[in-house]
Amino acid sequence: HLTSFKVLSRPRTPMDTPVCVAEAEGTWTARVATKQNCSGQALDVNWIHRENFWIGADGTGPEICVRFKKEAGKKEKWSRWQIERATHGTCGKEEGGYTTDFSFRSMEAEDLQARHFLCDASIGAGPMRLSFACSEGRRHAVLRSDLAANEDEVFCVGRAEHTDRVFRGHNCSRVEHDVKWHHQASFAAPSTASGDLWCIRQPRESGHLQRISAGEDCKSGSELMFSFHEVELEDLTEAHGILSLGPF
C-alpha cells in the first residue's frame, strides 16, 4: 500500500460520490473509478468489482490522487491504477508512465461526527452569536443536518451584520425585512432527542433579534420561536456510524 486515508463506508446523501475498486484476475492489480461498479473492460483489461466507498465534497483531509498506467505489448495485462497522497499540492509526476485520473480530499473525523455542539457565543445581553467551534461553555448538542429523519428537523444559522438568527431549512441565505442574512451552518434537531430542553426566543421589543435560552425559559410564552432537546449519546444508533478507516 502507498497510503491510507479516511472515507465514507456508505453515502450520507445523494451528493456523495461513489468510488469503486476492482481487481484484475490473475495479476491482482487494481482499478479505481468514480462509479458504483468497476466490473468490465478498462485499459484493455477485464476487471472484477470488489468494493465501494464514498467521498464527499466537504472533505478536509489530505488530498488523495488516483492515477493509472497503461502498459503495452506483453505487459498490457499489468495496466493498473494506484492511490497516493498529493505532495506539495501536486499529484505526482508524469514520469513512470502514470497519469492522474482524479483526486479528492479524505474525510477527517471531525467531518463525520454525527453529533455537534451549537455554541452560544453571545456576550452578555448583546446580540445573539452562535458557533460550532467550541469545546466547552454554553453549548447544545445537535446532529449533522444530513442525518435528519425529515425536513422538519433541519435548521440553519444565518448571520447579519450585528446578530445571528435561526431559521428552518438547509440554507439561511436570504433577505427579510431589508436585512440580508448569510448562511453559516445547518444542523438537525431530532424530535426523538432526550436531552435537556433549549430554545430560540424572539422578544417582542427586539424586532428580528433572537435569544438562545434553556430550561424553564423554554416551556411557554408567545416569544418562543423553536424548542429543542439536546441529542444525548444514547440517542445515537448504528445508522450514525459512517466512518471507514481501512487502507486502500
Side-chain angles (χ1 to χ4, degrees):
H1 299 297
L2 295 177
T3 188
S4 63
F5 52 93
K6 303 179 181 74
V7 294
L8 301 171
S9 61
R10 59 179 177 271
R12 302 164 298 179
T13 73
M15 299 300 292
D16 291 327
T17 301
V19 178
C20 60
V21 180
E23 187 177 64
E25 188 172 6
T27 60
W28 301 284
T29 49
R31 178 191 183 190
V32 183
T34 51
K35 302 172 62 176
Q36 287 277 8
N37 193 312
C38 274
S39 292
Q41 287 279 326
L43 301 183
D44 296 322
V45 176
N46 188 52
W47 302 93
I48 303 171
H49 177 77
R50 297 300 190 196
E51 189 60 80
N52 278 109
F53 63 88
W54 280 258
I55 53 179
D58 55 340
T60 60
E63 184 177 10
I64 305 299
C65 306
V66 179
R67 313 178 74 217
F68 67 89
K69 182 176 183 179
K70 177 71 169 72
E71 300 284 6
K74 293 182 179 180
K75 294 184 177 180
E76 184 177 66
K77 67 177 182 179
W78 294 97
S79 297
R80 60 198 178 274
W81 276 256
Q82 68 171 203
I83 299 179
E84 63 180 13
R85 291 195 183 198
T87 303
H88 304 302
T90 301
C91 285
K93 299 179 180 179
E94 296 306 312
E95 60 186 37
Y98 280 95
T99 300
T100 300
D101 194 354
F102 64 95
S103 67
F104 60 91
R105 290 201 172 274
S106 64
M107 309 298 291
E108 291 301 287
E110 56 268 26
D111 301 327
L112 304 174
Q113 291 177 351
R115 194 174 73 144
H116 289 288
F117 287 97
L118 179 64
C119 313
D120 181 6
S122 309
I123 300 176
M128 183 174 76
R129 282 296 191 188
L130 303 176
S131 170
F132 284 91
C134 68
S135 57
E136 57 185 17
R138 297 172 297 175
R139 59 181 190 165
H140 305 285
V142 296
L143 285 183
R144 286 203 331 264
S145 59
D146 59 280
L147 297 177
N150 55 67
E151 293 299 302
D152 291 337
E153 295 183 352
V154 179
F155 299 83
C156 60
V157 177
R159 176 159 294 176
E161 185 175 0
H162 300 297
T163 189
D164 289 350
R165 184 178 175 88
V166 174
F167 297 90
R168 284 191 180 274
H170 288 272
N171 194 315
C172 277
S173 293
R174 65 193 70 190
V175 176
E176 287 191 1
H177 306 296
D178 296 324
V179 178
K180 187 173 184 179
W181 299 95
H182 300 276
H183 178 72
Q184 299 298 300
S186 59
F187 65 93
S191 59
T192 55
S194 62
D196 292 339
L197 182 66
W198 65 284
C199 64
I200 300 295
R201 304 176 65 89
Q202 185 169 324
R204 294 177 182 176
E205 69 278 5
S206 67
H208 61 263
L209 300 180
Q210 294 179 341
R211 303 294 298 174
I212 185 169
S213 301
E216 293 294 326
D217 291 341
C218 297
K219 291 188 175 179
S220 63
S222 59
E223 299 176 350
L224 190 63
M225 294 291 293
F226 306 113
S227 63
F228 315 103
H229 283 274
E230 296 204 37
V231 178
E232 299 289 346
L233 290 176
E234 293 79 5
D235 297 327
L236 303 180
T237 69
E238 291 183 359
H240 300 123
I242 59 174
L243 183 62
S244 172
L245 301 177
F248 291 88

